[in-house]
Each structure stands twice: as structure tokens, then as C-alpha cells.
Amino acid sequence: AQSVTQLDSQVPVFEEAPVELRCNYSSSVSVYLFWYVQYPNQGLQLLLKYLSGSTLVESINGFEAEFNKSQTSFHLRKPSVHISDTAEYFCAVTRGTSYGKLTFGQGTILTVHP
Amino acid sequence: DTGVSQDPRHKITKRGQNVTFRCDPISEHNRLYWYRQTLGQGPEFLTYFQNEAQLEKSRLLSDRFSAERPKGSFSTLEIQRTEQGDSAMYLCASVSRVTDTQYFGPGTRLTVL
């Protein structure tokens, strides 16, 4: 079985500051990793994913995450945040051998202040 | 809008009543998942369909819960004899064969009084 721990339940930052949302996972098998974002009153949207290949993956809106197998981490970073990045972010994992159900972390609420 | 729709978006019911939710996935997606999300938590897996076959059920899915996906298209999730602990957001996701990405619907928020 897999598990995901998001180390921060809330992260407040000022606009244009850098941010890191931390995610650690536990699994006895290889995994695929995901970050989903949930804007207020909206559904979950895929932000980025790691399946294989380069351990650094990027989203279209400036977020990036790095898969670190030795530290079992998949932290999400952005060098400069905007007010519009305010949302809840979920890290998720699934077995890497056969894509299937997602196991989610508890979520991190990112609040960007002007 | 991901292309996955759920109906209703909100449901308020009294304890002991039955409720049914519907999920319409993206048409070419053969896999469909149901999750439940309670306040302050991430979504938790409930059940999974490949086409019309229900292939996996979580232990969270008690006997009061049943899900169907007739003809491998839309899916329904029914909760019988609702309890206050069933209050949650119920999410549906469909999966593309090509990208292996789960696309989530907006969810149905259930409140059991």
C-alpha cells in the first residue's frame, strides 16, 4: 500500500515570493506521482505528473516538482507566486507498474497575499 | 471544465434516506473512479470500473453503498439509509487510455441532517 504525507497544512506567502509545498510518500513498489490543484469552488485539476524519465517535471503555469527517490519526496515549487495561485494543492501517488487508484495527501492550502 | 460532469452538485437529505449520484465521464474513457473527500482531508478511493466491470472496492464502501456502470458509460453511486458520517464530497474521475491521467468532475456535496 502507498501513503502520502503533506507536511504543511497551510502555507501563507506574499505575492512574487518563492514557495515550496512539501510531499513525502511511502511505497514498497515503484510509483507514479502527481500534484493536483483545487481552486475555490472548483474540482480537482491535474497540475503536473511524474511517470518516468526526467525527475524534474514542470507545469504550464510555472510550477515544478522534483522526484527524489532516495528521499521519497516530490516537493512542489514555484519561484514567484501570484494571487491567482491561491488554492489547495494535493499530492497523490499510484502504483507505477499499473496505473490505478490514487492515494492522496491531506492537502496544503496555499494563500498568496498582496 | 474537465469534461466530467456530476449530478447533482449538492444534495441535502435526512438521515435514513437513500440518495443516488450520477457521473458522466469523458466519452472515450474506459476507466472510472469514485472517491470521497471529507473536510480537511484529501480524496479517498471508493471504487473503480473498467468499462462496465467493477474491479475494485475499498473497505470504506460499506454494504449501504453500491455503484454501477451499465454499458460502460455513465456511473451511479447509491447510498442507502444515509448516516451523518456519510456527509462528504463525492468525486468521480475518468481516465484516458492515452495519457493515463485522471480527470475529475466537480463533485457532489452530500449533507446528511
Side-chain angles (χ1 to χ4, degrees):
Chain A
Q2 295 82 43
S3 66
V4 177
T5 302
Q6 291 183 241
L7 298 161
D8 306 293
S9 58
Q10 296 192 50
V11 174
V13 294
F14 287 108
E15 195 172 19
E16 298 183 7
V19 71
E20 178 180 78
L21 307 184
R22 295 179 293 169
C23 171
N24 285 93
Y25 70 91
S26 172
S27 177
S28 58
V29 299
S30 63
V31 295
Y32 294 155
L33 292 153
F34 306 82
W35 277 98
Y36 279 83
V37 59
Q38 189 170 33
Y39 297 103
N41 299 315
Q42 294 187 30
L44 286 164
Q45 300 174 33
L46 180 67
L47 189 60
L48 46 75
K49 62 184 178 183
Y50 169 78
L51 302 182
S52 64
S54 173
T55 57
L56 184 66
V57 291
E58 299 177 350
S59 73
I60 58 172
N61 57 352
F63 282 94
E64 64 179 31
E66 186 161 19
F67 170 54
N68 188 320
K69 188 175 181 180
S70 63
Q71 296 188 4
T72 60
S73 68
F74 191 55
H75 301 330
L76 182 69
R77 302 183 181 95
K78 189 170 185 179
S80 176
V81 294
H82 302 289
I83 299 285
S84 59
D85 293 325
T86 294
E88 188 161 19
Y89 293 79
F90 292 94
C91 181
V93 64
T94 188
R95 287 169 62 98
T97 52
S98 59
Y99 186 97
K101 64 185 178 186
L102 294 170
T103 299
F104 285 86
Q106 303 93 319
T108 297
I109 297 173
L110 173 66
T111 305
V112 181
H113 297 284
Chain B
D1 184 359
T2 63
V4 180
S5 61
Q6 292 187 245
D7 185 69
R9 296 290 304 275
H10 302 273
K11 179 71 177 178
I12 300 174
T13 191
K14 293 183 179 178
R15 189 175 54 184
Q17 298 294 304
N18 299 343
V19 294
T20 300
F21 311 141
R22 177 179 169 123
C23 170
D24 285 274
I26 296 171
S27 59
E28 64 268 24
H29 290 184
N30 66 333
R31 285 182 282 168
L32 186 149
Y33 293 78
W34 284 97
Y35 294 85
R36 181 172 69 186
Q37 185 179 16
T38 53
L39 204 59
Q41 300 296 319
E44 295 174 292
F45 168 76
L46 291 179
T47 190
Y48 152 55
F49 290 85
Q50 181 156 318
N51 300 313
E52 65 276 10
Q54 187 174 20
L55 297 185
E56 188 175 353
K57 293 195 290 187
S58 162
R59 284 172 290 180
L60 292 175
L61 217 63
S62 76
D63 291 344
R64 297 184 297 106
F65 288 70
S66 62
E68 294 182 341
R69 193 183 181 199
K71 302 178 184 177
S73 56
F74 71 92
S75 176
T76 59
L77 178 68
E78 181 183 13
I79 309 175
Q80 296 183 326
R81 305 181 303 282
T82 52
E83 301 173 355
Q84 288 185 324
D86 297 331
S87 295
M89 177 77 85
Y90 289 84
L91 299 168
C92 168
S94 70
V95 182
S96 163
R97 268 183 248 237
V98 175
T99 65
D100 265 345
T101 297
Q102 293 200 19
Y103 294 89
F104 282 82
T108 294
R109 182 169 296 284
L110 173 66
T111 302
V112 181
L113 302 176

